Amino acid sequence: LSQIKQSWQVRTAHPVSYDMVFCHDLFDPGNGALLTTEGEQGGRRRFVVVDRNVLNHHGAAIDRYFQKNDIIACIHPLEAGEDNKSPSQLKAVLSALDTFPINRRNEPIIAIGGGVVTDLVGFAASIWRRGVPRINVPTTLMGFVDAAIGVKTGINFNRNKNRLGSFSPPDRVLLDSSFLQTLPKRHLLNGVAEILKLAIVKEPDLFSLLEQHGRHCIEVHFQDSISQAILSMSVDSMLTELAPNLFETELARVVDFGHTFSPALEMHADMDLLHGEAVLIDMLLSSIIAWKRSLLSRSDLDRIFSLVLTLRLPLSSKGLQPNMLMQSLIERQHHRNGVQRMPLPTGIGSCCFVKNITLEDINQAVTYLHRWLQDRHFEYGHQNHERIFQRGPRGN
Ligand SMILES: NC(=O)c1ccc[n+]([C@@H]2O[C@H](COP(=O)([O-])OP(=O)(O)OC[C@H]3O[C@@H](n4cnc5c(N)ncnc54)[C@H](O)[C@@H]3O)[C@@H](O)[C@H]2O)c1
């Protein structure tokens, strides 16, 4: 009896591999990209969650696609927007799935939409039968360069961003930029903010490309070859950063630039900010703090601000409360295991992590941003964005 084994350790390495590919004519019935599955032969049923606005544009083509390919598809429309990234929408998706059970391995769930759809459906797929495969088809710029290509899924809970979620890789991501043709301008600019994030802290060449061509790419809704180059660089840059740290073992993450104060801003109902709009404010406050601490040169700070002007990104300091920003920092500190680890730019294309940001730093940055906007006689949020730019900002 003295030799009875009394302790055990389970260890396994769980390999992660998934593909991402630029494609076009996704709903052409001859295009098999949406249907092929890894390994086993694909089954004949698909549970397809589609953003309601995307369904308005592509519903007929999606129906035809599955019919022609002899697939029984259950199309579940999902209302996007941050308010719908909720437990009740998650439950609705899971309930619909319950009435249309799919094979566990060879009938992947398909998510077609922006970050709200791919985050929520990704979470649903990761808990359904403890995890079934899924394919992501991002239809917003935010999804294209960020939300749909990593392994994080989630929904908001108790007014906290992404409080419930999982690390769950998609099986495939299909990147078709033609979806961006119908994306409203505000949502296009929302995605540009995430591209700008990578450019500031990681990619000096991308920053220069945005300076030269960013405005044009926005005008053509990212439909030409220079736009494709910017999209490809952005996806590549994001994946290079994510891949070695997929499960966030390392908590000091360059891609967290702009994501310290932004969760609180985004969840603040009165401010009515999209994810990228909140990230933009955070990036500028962080850049000001970096400059005030002599980590970033004045000329690089000016370059960042003038690119924001060139791209005409919506920006407002209305309702910015230093105490609320401090609370967000404290919350993020828990998320980063008790240390602030806040990314600050140290030049165009580089950053460092700091752990001693104070309320005074935040106060100074808010005051600076507020004055900067006032001095230029414009305070442009998304509501009056177009109107202000028709008139043109005064000063530079
Ligand atoms: N998982 C991640 O790593 C990650 C990364 C970044 C952002 N996110 C999340 O992404 C979410 C934001 O995503 P989003 O900006 O795509 O918002 P969203 O999904 O709400 O879509 C924005 C709007 O665009 C509409 N839309 C989508 N595609 C369209 C198209 N092709 N044509 C016309 N309209 C279209 C939607 O109906 C919606 O009204 C946030 O919740 C954020 O937290 C997640």
Side-chain angles (χ1 to χ4, degrees):
L1 273 183
S2 63
Q3 291 189 352
I4 289 177
K5 196 172 174 185
Q6 297 199 35
S7 67
W8 293 261
Q9 189 173 52
V10 177
R11 270 197 192 169
T12 182
H14 191 74
V16 173
S17 121
Y18 59 99
D19 297 325
M20 224 154 306
V21 60
F22 271 17
C23 55
H24 49 84
D25 300 329
L26 211 49
F27 304 134
D28 175 338
N31 188 342
L34 261 181
L35 293 179
T36 34
T37 51
E38 280 293 311
E40 300 187 43
Q41 212 187 356
R44 309 305 317 162
R45 296 155 67 85
R46 292 295 184 279
F47 184 72
V48 190
V49 183
V50 191
D51 179 301
R52 172 110 38 207
N53 283 321
V54 176
L55 204 56
N56 290 342
H57 290 291
H58 301 281
I62 293 173
D63 285 344
R64 192 170 55 244
Y65 179 83
F66 289 111
Q67 271 166 21
K68 292 260 180 198
N69 281 288
D70 208 14
I71 297 286
I72 304 163
C74 171
I75 310 289
H76 181 84
L78 193 76
E79 216 66 61
E82 206 55 37
D83 289 349
N84 293 308
K85 209 170 124 175
S86 62
S88 60
Q89 290 292 340
L90 174 72
K91 191 165 169 247
V93 167
L94 293 171
S95 301
L97 193 48
D98 235 1
T99 64
F100 185 82
I102 44 170
N103 282 349
R104 192 170 162 208
R105 296 264 189 265
N106 67 350
E107 294 179 335
I109 293 177
I110 300 175
I112 305 176
V116 166
V117 169
T118 52
D119 270 12
L120 186 146
V121 175
F123 187 39
S126 76
I127 57 177
W128 176 255
R129 294 187 195 279
R130 300 193 179 90
V132 292
R134 75 179 197 281
I135 295 173
N136 277 350
V137 180
T139 62
T140 62
L141 187 56
M142 175 65 67
F144 206 97
V145 299
D146 198 343
I149 67 178
V151 302
K152 292 206 277 193
T153 77
I155 58 166
N156 304 327
F157 181 63
N158 274 351
R159 299 173 63 84
N160 286 305
K161 275 272 318 170
N162 299 326
R163 185 45 60 87
L164 305 180
S166 59
F167 288 109
S168 170
D171 285 62
R172 182 175 308 143
V173 185
L174 299 170
L175 299 166
D176 182 346
S177 59
S178 71
F179 285 113
L180 305 180
Q181 288 176 87
T182 55
L183 192 65
K185 187 67 152 295
R186 184 181 174 198
H187 291 287
L188 203 62
L189 296 176
N190 182 46
V192 171
E194 289 286 1
I195 298 180
L196 179 62
K197 170 186 84 176
L198 294 168
I200 293 175
V201 282
K202 199 169 169 285
E203 306 290 347
D205 292 346
L206 182 59
F207 194 96
S208 302
L209 270 182
L210 286 176
E211 287 178 320
Q212 290 164 50
H213 305 287
R215 188 68 223 136
H216 162 78
C217 294
I218 291 164
E219 267 155 25
V220 300
H221 279 238
F222 285 82
Q223 294 303 303
D224 63 357
S225 54
I226 187 70
S227 306
Q228 287 295 309
I230 287 180
L231 291 176
S232 173
M233 278 174 85
S234 305
V235 170
D236 192 63
S237 173
M238 182 62 88
L239 292 176
T240 308
E241 201 56 38
L242 294 185
N245 189 28
L246 270 186
F247 301 105
E248 300 186 9
T249 324
E250 172 57 62
L251 292 168
R253 300 185 336 126
V254 172
V255 288
D256 272 354
F257 176 53
H259 290 67
T260 299
F261 306 129
S262 61
L265 297 175
E266 198 181 342
M267 295 309 283
H268 197 290
D270 294 345
M271 294 186 80
D272 187 23
L273 293 173
L274 296 176
H275 182 73
E277 293 166 352
V279 167
L280 175 67
I281 293 173
D282 184 323
M283 291 193 293
L284 293 180
L285 292 172
S286 301
S287 301
I288 296 164
I289 292 173
W291 167 63
K292 291 262 185 203
R293 289 185 165 214
S294 305
L295 296 167
L296 183 72
S297 70
R298 178 73 217 201
S299 60
D300 282 341
L301 181 74
D302 289 346
R303 238 180 120 191
I304 292 169
F305 271 82
S306 85
L307 182 52
V308 170
L309 287 180
T310 304
L311 298 176
R312 301 182 176 185
L313 299 178
L315 180 61
S316 167
S317 63
K318 257 194 206 117
L320 273 188
Q321 299 292 339
N323 283 329
M324 174 183 75
L325 301 177
M326 191 68 205
Q327 280 311 311
S328 191
L329 174 60
I330 291 167
E331 204 291 313
R332 285 290 89 186
Q333 186 167 332
H334 291 306
H335 194 69
R336 296 171 190 155
N337 202 34
V339 182
Q340 286 183 354
R341 299 179 224 262
M342 179 168 166
L344 293 184
T346 50
I348 302 300
S350 61
C351 79
C352 67
F353 295 90
V354 296
K355 51 184 180 185
N356 55 0
I357 299 291
T358 62
L359 183 60
E360 185 48 29
D361 289 311
I362 298 173
N363 268 324
Q364 285 182 7
V366 169
T367 305
Y368 182 96
L369 182 61
H370 197 57
R371 284 218 188 103
W372 186 85
L373 283 162
Q374 272 183 345
D375 286 352
R376 278 147 192 85
H377 299 279
F378 66 86
E379 172 89 5
Y380 55 104
H382 58 85
Q383 298 94 339
N384 56 2
H385 177 245
E386 287 305 323
R387 189 168 53 79
I388 296 270
F389 273 104
Q390 275 161 21
R391 197 176 69 216
R394 281 179 259 160
N396 57 30

